[in-house]
Each structure stands twice: as C-alpha cells, then as structure tokens.
Amino acid sequence: MPKALILANSSSGLYDFRNEILTGLMDEGFEVTVSLPDDLKAKELQDEGCKVIHTDINRRGVNPVQDMALFGAYRRLLKSEKPDIVITYTIKPNIYGGFACRLARIPYVSTITGLGSTFERGGTLLKLIVAMYKTALKGCSCLFFQNEYNHQIFEQHGIRGKKTVVVNGSGVNLDKHKFEEYPGHKDDVTRFLYIGRLMKEKGTEELLYAARKAHEKYGDKVSFAAVGYSEEDFEEPVKEATLAGYFKSIPYQKDIHPFIKEADAIVHPSYHEGMSNVLMEAAATGRPVITTDINGCKEVVNKDVSGLLCRPRDKESLYEAIDRFMELPMEKRIEMGKAARDHVEQKFDRRSIILTYINEIKQIV
C-alpha cells in the first residue's frame, strides 16, 4: 500500500478545504498520514482513517530557531514514516518540507495557497524567501498554483518546480455547502458577515470603518458580525466597535454554514488571496459577496451580477459597495445569490480539482 504524507499548518484548513484529497487518496488505496500543529480537526481526520502526527509550527513571522526545529522535525518524520509521496501546503511546509524531501530523495508536490504580504513589501526578506523557495521547490514533482497571477509572480522570480498546474483554488464542496434560500429577515435588518482572522491583511481596518459609517446612516437596519479569531493588534479596536454597538465578534466556529445561511451578504476586503475559500463557500450557499478587486477574490465574483467589488486598502470604496448593496431591492439581492451559486457550480466544483490532484499524484507514485 503506497503512503502519502501531508504537511500542513492548520487542521481546520486541511479538513475544511482539502479533505477530499485525503479521502480520495484513501479510496485509491493510499495510507495517509498528516502532520499538523493543532488538533482542532484532528479527531475528524482520524475518524476518516488518517494517522495524525503533531508538529509545532510558528505560523507568523520568521524565527530561525523555530524554523530550523521544524526542518529537523520534518526530516525525522520522513525517516520514520517512509512515505512514497509528500504533499505540502502553505509557505513553511512548502519550504522546509521541500528542503527535507529533496535531501531524502522523496517525491513531493506543493501548493502555493497565496503570496502573503512579503511579495508586496519587497526588501531583504523577500530576497530571502525567494532564495528559499527556489531551493525548496526545485525538486518539486508538481507545483500547484491557485490562480494564474501567483504563477506569473513566481515565474518572474525564477521559482519553478519540475511541472506546474494552475487550479481554481481548493474549489468548494457543493454538497456540503448547499444552496439556501435567501433569508428575507422579518425585522428588515441587513446582516453583513465577515469570516476569518481579524487582521490588517484581511482588511479589518476598512471593515470596521465601513461598519461604523453604515451604522451611522442606517442605524439598527444594518448589522455587521465577524466569525473568527482576532489578531492581537485588532483586539482593542474590535472591542471598541463591539461596545459602540456597530460590530459583533463571534469566536471561531467549526461549522460556518449556519452563519452564512443567515447572512444577507458576505464581506471579504482582503489584500491578497490564493483563491478565497470563504467567497466560494458563501457563493455556493447562494449569498452575494462584497470583496476586493484582486486576484484570488475577483475570480469568484461575476461583477455586479453575483456580487460587488471594491478597491483594496480603500475604506471609502468598501463603504460605497456596502451602501450600494443596502440600496438594492430584495429581488435583486435574491438574483445575486442565485447567480453566485451558478458561478461556482460552473468554475469551482471541488470534485474536478481533486481529480486533477489525484491524477498528478498517481503519475508520480
């Protein structure tokens, strides 16, 4: 029985967005082991038949001591598990897992799930990251990108694997995220929902500004809520917004579908994405989306048909999009939700994306 080892930085990210790859590999006769830094979805993965191994990862920033410890942990893991193929996601598993696989001469495939802020800021850190990526991915049997823009940026920096495949993100499970009729709340309150970490790069400053300004205009006829953890820098601003009555913060939820179901629209003012899973899930549920006009977000939106776009890092532009949505009649909002579902059915069905991954993996092993 061939063995696949998955290196990832989040159990929820792996289970919620890439679980079908694991179950698909097991259906093909693979033994699957996953390496994760947390146990939020460890039980679910184990119940499906995966072996789960804990591996500490500092997800934020660069710490040479911790990062070298991660590299050492991956080397030991390869030696003990003896996988036939390794599959890596996100920057640190991609880089340090790639280093370890090259040294061990074990084939590996990696997925670029987004570029992060380093590629925007440039400087010495970018030069370091590019050099590490070049070395780590040089031996990668197949390098997956979630949008063409990210692929072109890597090409410009000379970062390449042996083969490249561009897919439409992780796709969305259309059965799990089923279409829901538009809520039509009896209290006539328009409910906007944000899903994800409250942090600068996800547009939290702009979101809080737009929520305050919309509340000033529409009063109790508008509601803003966020589901997810708050980064330290935004704990106080979020608390102030909550006390002021124009924002509600809800802790991370394992099942996000009921929250999307009750929302009138999903707001996602991110600065950069690989391909936004939040937007795909919202659209699949039949909810209009308001998001930034950037690669990784705009592809999920049929502009002005299934959602609205605003300029990134522009609080007034975000507010204007929200204000436009507030002025839409109920019939138009319902049409947008249906168009959103149609759009992801045509372009983001996870089944076709998983098939692409598994076919590539079977060619390697």
Side-chain angles (χ1 to χ4, degrees), residues 141-155:
S141 298
C142 187
L143 181 57
F144 287 91
F145 291 88
Q146 297 199 326
N147 67 59
E148 181 58 34
Y149 174 76
N150 286 181
H151 174 217
Q152 292 304 320
I153 293 296
F154 267 50
E155 282 290 326

Side-chain angles (χ1 to χ4, degrees), residues 183-221:
H185 302 291
K186 293 181 180 179
D187 58 10
D188 198 30
V189 175
T190 298
R191 291 167 169 81
F192 293 100
L193 179 68
Y194 168 85
I195 303 165
R197 292 199 305 277
L198 290 161
M199 57 188 294
K200 184 175 179 61
E201 293 169 18
K202 294 296 183 181
T204 300
E205 287 181 10
E206 294 81 0
L207 177 62
L208 292 175
Y209 172 85
R212 178 177 58 79
K213 195 168 180 179
H215 194 265
E216 289 172 356
K217 180 175 180 178
Y218 295 101
D220 292 338
K221 291 302 179 182

Side-chain angles (χ1 to χ4, degrees), residues 272-320:
H272 46 76
E273 295 282 344
M275 191 68 71
S276 173
N277 293 301
V278 166
L279 295 180
M280 286 187 280
E281 292 179 356
T285 310
R287 296 299 173 265
V289 298
I290 299 172
T291 189
T292 38
D293 189 7
I294 62 168
N295 293 282
C297 288
K298 64 183 181 181
E299 294 90 341
V300 191
V301 183
N302 188 351
K303 185 180 179 182
D304 296 331
V305 176
S306 70
L308 304 176
L309 297 177
C310 65
R311 294 183 295 276
R313 304 173 187 264
D314 189 329
K315 60 186 181 182
E316 289 295 343
S317 181
L318 176 61
Y319 168 71
E320 289 167 6

